[in-house]
């Protein structure tokens, strides 16, 4: 198919092997398309970065301090005794001033906190 490089980033691109796009079914004339519309979704995909890493000068740099994805951090809110005040394994209640604790190992069932 005579598509041009822009087609991959175009809103009109059909992603169909038998059809280049809805405006130019057989592809645009020449190497420029007058109907080119940048697809915002495609652009976002190009800027995608894995969790805990970032692109710097075109190189993927891992950020070791970001051990937790945002999703994992939200999950922590649901079960971690730091937020719930209860042991995630046996359900034992932590001391009343549990928010001041540093270690979260459970004295009842022996659950060990390996998240911090
Ligand atoms: Zn426990």
């Amino acid at each position: 198919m005579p598509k041009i490089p822009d087609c991959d980033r175009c809103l009109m691109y059909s992603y169909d092997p038998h059809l280049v796009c809805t405006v130019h079914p057989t592809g645009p004339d020449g190497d420029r398309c007058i109907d080119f519309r940048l697809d915002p979704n495609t652009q976002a995909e190009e800027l995608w970065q894995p969790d805990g890493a970032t692109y710097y000068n075109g190189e993927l740099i891992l950020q070791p301090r970001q051990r937790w994805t945002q999703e994992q951090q939200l999950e922590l809110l649901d079960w971690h005794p730091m937020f719930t005040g209860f042991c995630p394994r046996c359900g034992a209640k932590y001391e009343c001033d549990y928010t001041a604790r540093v270690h979260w190992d459970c004295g009842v069932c022996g659950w060990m906190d390996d998240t911090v």
Side-chain angles (χ1 to χ4, degrees):
M1 273 299 172
K3 71 177 175 111
I4 59 176
D6 277 350
C7 288
D8 288 325
R9 299 183 292 121
C10 182
L11 208 53
M12 312 286 189
Y13 189 48
S14 68
Y15 294 98
D16 185 320
H18 306 292
L19 182 78
V20 174
C21 85
T22 47
V23 182
H24 305 274
T26 56
D29 296 324
D31 58 357
R32 289 259 165 222
C33 181
I34 51 169
D35 296 305
F36 174 72
R37 299 276 185 280
L38 185 64
D39 185 344
N41 293 325
T42 307
Q43 196 179 30
E45 210 169 289
E46 283 177 4
L47 297 172
W48 177 86
Q49 294 171 347
D51 290 319
T54 188
Y55 280 104
Y56 183 75
N57 282 346
E59 275 187 69
L60 193 62
I61 307 295
L62 289 172
Q63 296 171 328
R65 275 177 297 171
Q66 283 191 350
R67 286 177 55 203
W68 297 90
T69 65
Q70 194 178 15
E71 196 174 314
Q72 283 172 318
Q73 283 170 347
L74 287 174
E75 277 177 21
L76 272 181
L77 291 172
D78 283 338
W79 67 266
H80 196 281
M82 189 190 300
F83 306 104
T84 65
F86 294 97
C87 169
R89 187 196 281 171
C90 73
K93 199 176 193 315
Y94 279 77
E95 305 303 314
C96 46
D97 193 19
Y98 66 85
T99 51
R101 290 180 68 118
V102 178
H103 298 290
W104 298 94
D105 304 345
C106 177
V108 179
C109 72
W111 176 76
M112 304 272 276
D113 177 25
D114 58 0
T115 61
V116 287

